[in-house]
Amino acid sequence: MSRLIMKIAVAGLALTIATTNASAAFLDSFFNDLFGPMSPQGRQVVRINGSHNVGDIIVSFGDRRLYYVESKTVAYSYPIAIPKAEAKWSGVSYVSQKRENPAWTPTADMRRENPKLPAYVPGGDPRNPLGTRALYLGDSLYRIHGTDAPWLIGQQVSHGCIRMYNEDAADLYRRAKVGAKVVVTWDRMRTM
């Protein structure tokens, strides 16, 4: 009798696991179609349509990815964290400066939202939300930068900045030039 119960329990567990995996795959597909990729895939080389200039940076909040245009037909694609709904923005800017191990000072709004935030975090501190590299956008407070919370890449969490894995921010930092055009859009990038 106990062997029969054991076989039923094992069969039930296998059915539960198979159902859970199928449900997870369906939900991933459903939400990816609606909102773009919900979990980041790593850095990729993708083919593009050639309508951008070499050196341009395209930030697609719809894809939750940043594209660095390497040539008329090739771009590097990086997973990013995007702004929360109330911080949603788009437009055209440029890289006004680049900094290694930038210091971070939270805005007054950030401090009101979370009074426990430090007033200042020096560059190189492992708790620095800007990570190890930052590209400043025009004269705005927005930046493309690394992160101290890599598990948030792919999510909608920022106050307007574009967060990347530190290793991806370092790769982009090496490629991008001061003065580079930055297009920020909620449209999805057309890749081939």
Side-chain angles (χ1 to χ4, degrees), residues 30-148:
F30 176 76
F31 285 110
N32 283 350
D33 288 345
L34 284 177
F35 305 111
M38 300 303 284
S39 60
Q41 299 170 353
R43 183 183 332 155
Q44 301 171 351
V45 176
V46 297
R47 296 193 58 77
I48 57 173
N49 66 13
S51 63
H52 302 286
N53 293 318
V54 173
D56 285 356
I57 297 171
I58 315 306
V59 178
S60 169
F61 290 147
D63 289 339
R64 297 182 189 215
R65 297 192 73 85
L66 178 149
Y67 300 88
Y68 174 79
V69 179
E70 180 69 16
S71 74
K72 283 291 188 184
T73 58
V74 174
Y76 288 94
S77 169
Y78 307 88
I80 59 172
I82 66 171
K84 297 186 261 190
E86 64 273 12
K88 189 175 180 177
W89 69 282
S90 62
V92 178
S93 189
Y94 66 98
V95 176
S96 55
Q97 59 180 300
K98 297 173 17 174
R99 291 209 180 140
E100 291 187 35
N101 294 314
W104 179 70
T105 304
T107 65
D109 286 342
M110 290 177 186
R111 300 255 326 184
R112 272 191 294 282
E113 184 181 308
N114 183 358
K116 294 181 180 181
L117 283 176
Y120 174 82
V121 179
D125 188 304
R127 297 169 299 146
N128 188 319
L130 297 181
T132 60
R133 302 288 186 278
L135 284 70
Y136 292 68
L137 301 181
D139 59 0
S140 74
L141 294 175
Y142 299 134
R143 300 173 187 97
I144 299 168
H145 61 79
T147 184
D148 65 337

